[in-house]
Amino acid sequence: MKVIICGAGQVGWQIARHLSGELNDVTVVDNNPDLVRRATDTLDVQGIAGFASYPDVLERAGAADADMIIAATHSDEVNMVTCQVAHSVFSIQRKIARLRSQSYLDAIYSDLYRRDHLPIDVVISPEREVAAAAMQRLSAPAAFDTETFMDGNAQLLGITIDEDCPVVHTPLRQLTDLFSTLRAIVVGVRRDGTLFAPDPGDQLFVGDNCYIFTHIEDVSRTMEVFGKKEKKQDRVVIVGGGNVGLEVAKAMENRTGRTRSKMIERDRKKAEHAAESLERTIVLNGDGLDRTLMIEAGIDRADAMLAVTDDDKTNMLAAVRAKAEGCSLAIALINDPTLVPLMAPLGIDAYINPRSTTVSSILRHIRHGRVRQVYSIGDAEAEVIEAEVMSTSPMAGQMIRDIDFPEGVLVGAVYKGGEVLRPSGKLRIEESDVISLFAIAADVPEVERLMQVSIDFF
C-alpha cells in the first residue's frame, strides 16, 4: 500500500513508524525540513519538504498512484485543502484528516465532508479522542489504562500489581481454575520496563503493570481479584479549559448520574468561553497549581482530578498537588512518553497520552482486512487489534491451540454469536467471529497476515 503522510510531528511520525515497519510504501511531507530529515533518518520512508496542500509537492510525493493520504499537520485548514487536492487532482481513494477546531466537528455541519463538497473519508478529532479516553479512565479509576472493545462488551484494563494483590506469585494458568467463571485473561505484562506477552506458567510480581482483557460485566470482579477497589467518581476537578478540557467537561455533563464538575483555567478568555459553553460546570479563573484555588475548587473532597492543560509538566505538578491535598485519583495528560516512568514515583494514578489515542484512531481506519479497532499501548510497544475473521483468513476453521501465533501474541477474547468468550485452546475460530489479539509491535505484521484476506479492504 502506498501512503502519503502529511505532517511529520509526533502523530505523523508515529503513523509512519507503524506503516513503514509493516513494509508499506510511505512518504512523509512537512514544511519543516528538520522533521522530514528526522523521519527519513530514523524510519524506512521517503521525505518531501514542502507545504502539503500544494499540488506540486503532493505530485513529488507520489500522489499520482497513492492509495491513501493522511493529513495530520498542525493546521486544520491545510489538512482540509490537502484532502481536497488529493481528491480533485490525484483521485486518491482514501483520505483521512485530523481536525482540531470544534466548529468543523459540529454535527450540523457534517454534510461538509461529502465527496461533492470536502471529500474527507475519515475525520479524526484528538480532543474528542482524549475526552473519550478520560471517560474510560474514570469508568475504571483503579486502572492506569483502559479501552473498550467488541461493541462495548469487553474492556482492556491496565492494572499495577500491589503488595495486597490476592493473586501475586500465582501462575497465570491457575487463575482459570481459581476463578472458573471469570471471563478475564492477562494478555500483557510490563516488568522492569519491558513489555511482553506472558506464558501460562508466568507469575505476577509486585510492581508489574499488567494488561487484562475482560468481559464488561466482569470488570468490577476483575478489579477485585487483582486487589483494586472501585469507587464512584461523583466530584471531579478539571485543570485546563482549552479544547481538551472543554470536551472532557461536556462529556462529564452528558454522563448519567449526578457528577459535579469544577474547572480551573488560567487564561481569562478561555475561562469565559468555557463558562459560556458549559451548563452545570463551575469554572474558576486562575492558576491550576495555586493551592488556595485548588482548595476553593474542593480538591480535598474530589473523587478525581484531571489535569489536561497543553503543558505536560503543569499537568504532572497539578496531579501531585491534588494528591497532596487528599484527592483520591489524579489523572494527567502526558504528550511526552519519556515522562510516563515518573508517574508512579510521583504518586500519579493514571495518564492519558493524546498522541497514542490519535494514532490508535487513525490506525483503526487503515489496517488490512476487516479490522474494527486498534489500540496502541505504551510508546507504540504493542497493539490490541480487534478484527472480524473472514473465510480467507488462515485462522478460519481452526482451534486456537492449532493457530501458529507468534510468541508475542495472545488472544484476549472471541466474540461469537453475540457473546464474548474467554479464549481456550479448544475454542474453534469460525468465519464472522470477532477476535481481539494483544500483539507486541514486532509481531503486528504476522497478526495482519493471519487476519488478512485475498484483497485489501479500505
Side-chain angles (χ1 to χ4, degrees):
M1 181 169 63
K2 186 171 184 178
V3 184
I4 299 174
I5 300 173
C6 301
Q10 292 182 334
V11 169
W13 186 89
Q14 200 65 254
I15 294 294
R17 175 183 172 184
H18 278 276
L19 295 183
S20 64
E22 294 157 17
L23 304 181
N24 292 289
D25 183 356
V26 178
T27 301
V28 174
V29 178
D30 200 289
N31 65 345
N32 186 332
D34 292 335
L35 292 180
V36 173
R37 193 177 303 110
R38 182 189 70 156
T40 55
D41 288 348
T42 58
L43 305 172
D44 183 16
V45 301
Q46 300 176 68
I48 299 292
F51 287 92
S53 57
Y54 289 4
D56 63 317
V57 172
L58 289 182
E59 185 174 26
R60 284 193 288 129
D65 59 349
D67 301 299
M68 178 184 296
I69 189 164
I70 301 169
T73 75
H74 293 294
S75 168
D76 288 358
E77 289 73 22
V78 169
N79 293 339
M80 295 164 79
V81 173
T82 298
C83 288
Q84 181 71 68
V85 173
H87 174 79
S88 301
V89 179
F90 300 105
S91 301
I92 296 178
Q93 289 299 306
R94 188 73 165 163
K95 298 162 288 292
I96 298 175
R98 178 177 67 170
L99 301 182
R100 304 187 72 111
S101 174
Q102 299 308 294
S103 182
Y104 289 136
L105 300 168
D106 197 309
I108 65 173
Y109 305 128
S110 58
D111 240 17
L112 179 64
Y113 306 112
R114 287 192 336 207
R115 282 188 172 269
D116 51 347
H117 293 157
L118 267 175
I120 302 175
D121 299 297
V122 178
V123 172
I124 304 295
S125 165
E127 285 76 14
R128 290 187 177 177
E129 297 292 336
V130 168
M135 298 308 291
Q136 288 175 1
R137 296 291 185 277
L138 292 174
S139 70
F144 65 81
D145 199 359
T146 180
E147 179 65 61
T148 56
F149 291 86
M150 297 182 167
D151 299 328
N153 291 298
Q155 192 159 353
L156 179 74
L157 300 170
I159 296 176
T160 300
I161 303 301
D162 300 321
E163 291 183 359
D164 56 354
C165 174
V167 296
V168 70
H169 300 310
T170 304
L172 295 179
R173 64 163 60 92
Q174 291 186 16
L175 295 182
T176 303
D177 299 327
L178 291 171
F179 308 100
S180 58
T181 60
L182 183 67
R183 292 164 290 184
I185 182 170
V186 178
V187 292
V189 176
R190 187 190 302 280
R191 180 177 298 154
D192 298 327
T194 301
L195 183 65
F196 62 93
D199 292 326
D202 285 339
Q203 304 175 29
L204 297 178
F205 299 108
V206 173
D208 285 353
N209 286 338
C210 61
Y211 291 88
I212 304 164
F213 209 92
T214 181
H215 193 290
I216 196 71
E217 295 175 356
D218 291 351
V219 167
S220 295
R221 188 175 170 217
T222 300
M223 299 294 279
E224 182 181 344
V225 165
F226 286 85
K228 302 295 181 180
K229 294 181 180 179
E230 294 291 272
K231 182 183 178 184
K232 288 186 177 181
Q233 312 301 311
D234 296 326
R235 294 183 294 270
V236 178
V237 175
I238 302 169
V239 176
N243 286 339
V244 172
L246 196 55
E247 282 295 317
V248 171
K250 287 179 179 178
M252 291 286 181
E253 291 190 345
N254 293 329
R255 199 180 185 191
T256 56
R258 298 286 298 174
T259 302
R260 289 169 285 180
S261 301
K262 293 183 180 179
M263 175 186 287
I264 301 174
E265 169 52 47
R266 186 172 186 172
D267 184 275
R268 185 171 185 82
K269 288 185 178 179
K270 287 183 179 179
E272 290 174 351
H273 175 66
E276 292 171 358
S277 304
L278 299 168
E279 297 179 4
R280 301 194 310 274
T281 303
I282 298 172
V283 181
L284 304 175
N285 177 217
D287 190 345
L289 297 179
D290 187 324
R291 179 175 181 269
T292 303
L293 191 59
M294 272 206 169
I295 291 175
E296 182 182 343
I299 196 66
D300 54 327
R301 302 183 305 278
D303 299 310
M305 190 282 302
L306 293 100
V308 291
T309 75
D310 56 5
D311 183 78
D312 287 358
K313 297 177 179 64
T314 297
N315 294 337
M316 293 171 68
L317 288 173
V320 171
R321 170 78 76 186
K323 295 295 288 186
E325 297 300 329
C327 182
S328 58
L329 175 68
I331 301 173
L333 186 71
I334 302 295
N335 286 279
D336 183 356
T338 64
L339 295 175
V340 171
L342 299 177
M343 299 292 102
L346 291 174
I348 300 172
D349 300 291
Y351 69 93
I352 303 168
N353 185 335
R355 181 182 69 178
S356 179
T357 60
T358 303
V359 168
S360 295
S361 183
I362 293 174
L363 287 175
R364 196 177 308 148
H365 296 283
I366 61 180
R367 290 299 190 193
H368 295 282
R370 292 193 175 175
V371 173
R372 294 159 39 121
Q373 187 166 354
V374 178
Y375 185 65
S376 181
I377 292 177
D379 188 17
E381 299 159 271
E383 292 179 12
V384 178
I385 303 172
E386 175 185 311
E388 179 183 344
V389 177
M390 304 188 71
S391 60
T392 48
S393 166
M395 294 186 291
Q398 292 199 61
M399 289 189 288
I400 289 179
R401 66 187 178 194
D402 296 328
I403 300 173
D404 188 20
F405 289 117
E407 186 177 339
V409 176
L410 282 178
V411 180
V414 178
Y415 198 33
K416 185 189 289 283
E419 184 179 359
V420 177
L421 303 177
R422 182 171 61 181
S424 66
K426 296 180 180 180
L427 182 62
R428 189 177 298 277
I429 304 299
E430 305 286 358
E431 179 186 356
S432 299
D433 288 351
V434 175
I435 187 169
S436 289
L437 298 169
F438 171 93
I440 296 298
D443 292 319
V444 168
E446 177 62 14
V447 168
E448 286 205 320
R449 187 195 69 79
L450 289 171
M451 291 180 170
Q452 203 167 351
V453 292
S454 55
I455 59 173
D456 293 338
F457 283 76
F458 298 116

